[in-house]
Amino acid sequence: METFLSQYGLSLIENENKFRSIVTNKKINIGKTIIVSHPLISFPTLTCNKIRCDQCLKKKDHTLQTCSRCQNVYYCDRSCQKSSWVSHHKLLCPLYKKSTSTNNDEEMLKRVSNLIEKFLNNNNNNNNNNNNNENENNNYLFEIFLRLMTHRTEQSNDNLKYFEKISNDICENLNFNKITKDDLIDYLCIFYCNNFNLHDNQLFVYGEGTFPIGSLFNHSCRPNAIVMYDGAVQIIKCIEVINVGEEINISYIDVALNRMTRKKMLQEKYFFECQCSRCFSQERYSNIFSKIDQLIEEKDQETTRQDFNQTLENWVSLEQNESKFSKVTTLILSNLLSHLKNNTTDNDYLNSLSEIISILFQQNYSMTNLFYTSSLSFTTKLFYDKIDLQQWYQSTILGKYILSIYLIIYPRYHPMIGLHLFTLGKCYWNDITNGSKSIKESINILECAQKVLNITHNEGAENTDIINQIYSHTSISAPPLGP
Ligand SMILES: C[S@@+](CC[C@H](N)C(=O)[O-])C[C@H]1O[C@@H](n2cnc3c(N)ncnc32)[C@H](O)[C@@H]1O
């Protein structure tokens, strides 16, 4: 494993609070791929299993072919079918003939346990027969998997009962020599706090996977890295400069959530109290990230939510420029948007962000509901309603407000920002009522989208496709941008 990680300039070090951490041995610049890794097992979700290959998880233009024996698993070509057969399908095919599994945990366990049984058997044989290079190449994945955190003693009784039931069912259907029912429960505990949902370039989930390498990365609510996918391949990318010796962090949950919700989710699913730079400070709200949390913390009830919804709808329909929405949007975008396009340093960006946060506090915006998660959800729904109704001008107003909130909550090179910019740029382009003004805005926004997506989406065929769309005329009839 050390050899694999060192190829990427990474080390795994012990960490008192987190068990282990991944740190970098070399400076990593924004947009660079940190590591590319394959899953032990991954498969498409039920809704995608006929449009994504069960083995490589890629979407194909042609119809997928089903396994001629069980008729229940779909592949893009012979080579994927063969790999799946060798890996696990040979053993599981008779089971799929009876019925396919609708339970992801059960499905993952069947596949992973079969592979581990083979790995343990091979290890035994290798010890007797000395070498087997092909197996050794993948052995590190199994070795890492078997050392991942289970948090078994912290799992709820309900979880443990559920894991026991699945393990019993599997033991009835599959025979193991090397692994026990107790091991199966451990594997389910590992899945619970280590597995990943695979998502497409629009962040829609299409599969689940066990990625032992990806599972070594710890969480931060202000991450310096993001996780992207190309089919079944996981790509971890740098979104903030990471210096030698610094830890690389991804986020396990949506960082737009408020502090209380993040805390609850991380505790319930991953069994830890987050002590990242955003959650943990000696004095609460003493640093810029914890101040952001103060802005988004929901302090009041249903009545203010209704009040927010009503004033937002009025603002959009009446175009009140003096409204607090307009003021906040203008303040944030006029100071932060240029940082997306220009190659300013992370420090320059954070300084500007810090100044904006101070102004928002001075002007008492911390006492309003403008930044609440519930307000953002409502605004996003209204934004997409306006798009559906082709009310482009109103969609641009709402889209700009959402962008300003995103720039406060997310790191500047986060996929949510790139994707939102792309949608907003298209709204401007479609807003012909505002003539050349909106075309100019559209080009400015699309250039920002291009910059962000080039950082977040520049690897993997499906991902680069979205960047190419910005250049093409296909979806927005826009002129090509940039060189
Ligand atoms: C996917 S694993 C990450 C790798 C893990 N540290 C290891 O050594 O195997 C997730 C677990 O790591 C720990 N962890 C991850 N991020 C953490 C953080 N920010 N603070 C404390 N513990 C963390 C928690 O125990 C969590 O359940």
Side-chain angles (χ1 to χ4, degrees):
M1 169 185 36
E2 273 73 17
T3 326
F4 181 82
L5 291 175
S6 67
Q7 282 170 36
Y8 287 90
L10 305 174
S11 298
L12 187 65
I13 57 162
E14 293 199 3
N15 183 307
E16 203 186 326
N17 295 322
K18 308 175 188 173
F19 182 32
R20 298 168 298 182
S21 299
I22 296 260
V23 295
T24 178
N25 307 327
K26 54 173 201 229
K27 182 178 169 190
I28 311 176
N29 284 322
I30 294 172
K32 290 276 172 271
T33 295
I34 297 172
I35 200 161
V36 174
S37 71
H38 290 265
L40 207 51
I41 282 295
S42 63
F43 50 79
T45 53
L46 219 55
T47 47
C48 294
N49 67 357
K50 293 193 178 106
I51 50 170
R52 290 203 177 248
C53 169
D54 192 80
Q55 181 64 17
C56 71
L57 268 82
K58 291 208 169 158
K59 215 173 180 174
K60 298 284 168 173
D61 292 334
H62 59 82
T63 317
L64 301 181
Q65 291 165 5
T66 151
C67 163
S68 57
R69 295 177 197 225
C70 69
Q71 303 277 343
N72 269 320
V73 178
Y74 296 80
Y75 300 104
C76 62
D77 60 23
R78 287 280 301 157
S79 139
C80 275
Q81 181 167 18
K82 213 169 141 195
S83 309
S84 168
W85 187 256
V86 175
S87 149
H88 55 271
H89 195 67
K90 184 178 172 187
L91 185 85
L92 302 179
C93 189
L95 300 181
Y96 295 131
K97 233 183 208 171
K98 285 188 227 152
S99 69
T100 49
S101 170
T102 52
N103 179 320
N104 278 359
D105 299 315
E106 191 184 313
E107 188 58 36
M108 187 62 77
L109 188 60
K110 274 191 228 158
R111 298 186 186 199
V112 166
S113 56
N114 173 45
L115 278 180
I116 292 186
E117 171 84 2
K118 277 203 276 189
F119 161 72
L120 296 173
N121 271 325
N122 281 343
N123 248 5
N124 224 14
N125 295 342
N126 285 352
N127 285 343
N128 298 334
N129 305 335
N130 284 331
N131 244 321
N132 179 337
N133 276 339
E134 202 197 315
N135 287 328
E136 276 187 1
N137 285 342
N138 272 332
N139 281 357
Y140 67 91
L141 283 186
F142 294 100
E143 282 155 10
I144 300 171
F145 174 80
L146 292 169
R147 289 201 61 214
L148 288 175
M149 298 178 89
T150 63
H151 287 290
R152 186 158 169 170
T153 54
E154 292 144 277
Q155 297 279 353
S156 69
N157 282 341
D158 284 352
N159 271 3
L160 288 172
K161 267 192 217 147
Y162 164 69
F163 293 162
E164 194 162 338
K165 184 185 174 309
I166 297 180
S167 304
N168 279 337
D169 292 349
I170 290 195
C171 283
E172 274 174 25
N173 285 306
L174 299 171
N175 292 321
F176 300 111
N177 294 319
K178 297 278 174 198
I179 49 185
T180 64
K181 196 183 94 185
D182 204 55
D183 293 330
L184 295 185
I185 296 177
D186 265 350
Y187 303 162
L188 284 163
C189 291
I190 292 179
F191 300 157
Y192 186 80
C193 51
N194 288 276
N195 273 6
F196 289 83
N197 282 327
L198 290 86
H199 57 73
D200 66 11
N201 57 16
Q202 300 279 346
L203 309 182
F204 292 122
V205 171
Y206 61 76
E208 182 177 337
T210 299
F211 289 87
I213 300 286
S215 293
L216 294 172
F217 289 83
N218 288 322
H219 164 90
S220 166
C221 298
R222 188 77 192 183
N224 49 22
I226 51 164
V227 186
M228 303 295 282
Y229 296 91
D230 182 21
V233 175
Q234 186 179 66
I235 305 156
I236 299 192
K237 306 203 64 195
C238 172
I239 55 165
E240 235 172 46
V241 173
I242 313 175
N243 289 309
V244 178
E246 279 181 2
E247 182 176 3
I248 300 165
N249 289 121
I250 55 175
S251 64
Y252 298 173
I253 52 174
D254 184 356
V255 297
L257 295 167
N258 62 41
R259 194 177 201 244
M260 286 281 286
T261 314
R262 297 199 312 271
K263 192 177 154 108
K264 187 164 179 284
M265 288 173 83
L266 292 171
Q267 188 61 56
E268 284 175 0
K269 179 125 173 65
Y270 300 96
F271 308 102
F272 71 92
E273 187 165 352
C274 191
Q275 306 211 336
C276 72
S277 57
R278 183 168 164 196
C279 295
F280 186 75
S281 49
Q282 293 299 329
E283 214 177 296
R284 210 169 167 212
Y285 305 135
S286 64
N287 70 23
I288 164 181
F289 300 125
S290 51
K291 281 206 169 86
I292 291 173
D293 274 337
Q294 193 177 359
L295 278 178
I296 68 176
E297 187 172 285
E298 311 243 349
K299 300 163 199 87
D300 34 38
Q301 313 299 323
E302 189 61 21
T303 43
T304 61
R305 199 167 310 147
Q306 281 168 4
D307 170 55
F308 174 86
N309 299 357
Q310 193 56 57
T311 45
L312 183 82
E313 289 190 76
N314 288 345
W315 173 55
V316 174
S317 53
L318 301 174
E319 296 178 38
Q320 298 152 324
N321 278 339
E322 283 313 297
S323 133
K324 56 189 174 185
F325 298 104
S326 301
K327 286 184 188 156
V328 161
T329 306
T330 309
L331 172 71
I332 298 173
L333 295 191
S334 61
N335 283 285
L336 296 184
L337 205 53
S338 60
H339 284 279
L340 298 187
K341 252 198 306 190
N342 307 333
N343 290 326
T344 56
T345 63
D346 289 331
N347 270 346
D348 286 343
Y349 178 68
L350 288 179
N351 285 338
S352 291
L353 181 61
S354 187
E355 277 166 28
I356 297 294
I357 303 287
S358 301
I359 299 172
L360 291 173
F361 270 79
Q362 277 158 21
Q363 298 186 356
N364 270 341
Y365 283 106
S366 54
M367 307 304 287
T368 67
N369 48 12
L370 293 196
F371 298 88
Y372 290 4
T373 314
S374 58
S375 308
L376 183 60
S377 305
F378 182 78
T379 314
T380 307
K381 188 183 167 302
L382 198 60
F383 172 59
Y384 283 100
D385 286 350
K386 298 293 174 198
I387 291 179
D388 285 345
L389 293 168
Q390 304 200 352
Q391 294 181 354
W392 302 116
Y393 177 66
Q394 297 191 336
S395 72
T396 60
I397 299 194
L398 289 164
K400 269 202 302 184
Y401 173 51
I402 294 171
L403 178 61
S404 67
I405 309 287
Y406 277 7
L407 287 174
I408 296 291
I409 303 172
Y410 289 109
R412 67 175 155 163
Y413 296 125
H414 191 281
M416 286 292 284
I417 292 189
L419 292 171
H420 181 69
L421 281 161
F422 186 31
T423 310
L424 179 59
K426 289 193 275 187
C427 293
Y428 268 112
W429 187 262
N430 287 328
D431 176 25
I432 46 171
T433 53
N434 264 308
S436 62
K437 198 170 150 226
S438 70
I439 291 181
K440 248 171 103 182
E441 273 295 343
S442 172
I443 290 174
N444 178 35
I445 294 286
L446 287 175
E447 279 173 354
C448 293
Q450 187 189 326
K451 178 72 198 279
V452 179
L453 294 172
N454 259 328
I455 288 163
T456 56
H457 285 64
N458 68 355
E459 195 142 357
E462 277 181 52
N463 293 330
T464 32
D465 198 43
I466 198 161
I467 304 172
N468 294 337
Q469 276 184 43
I470 298 184
Y471 291 104
S472 79
H473 291 233
T474 48
S475 58
I476 51 169
S477 317
L481 301 169

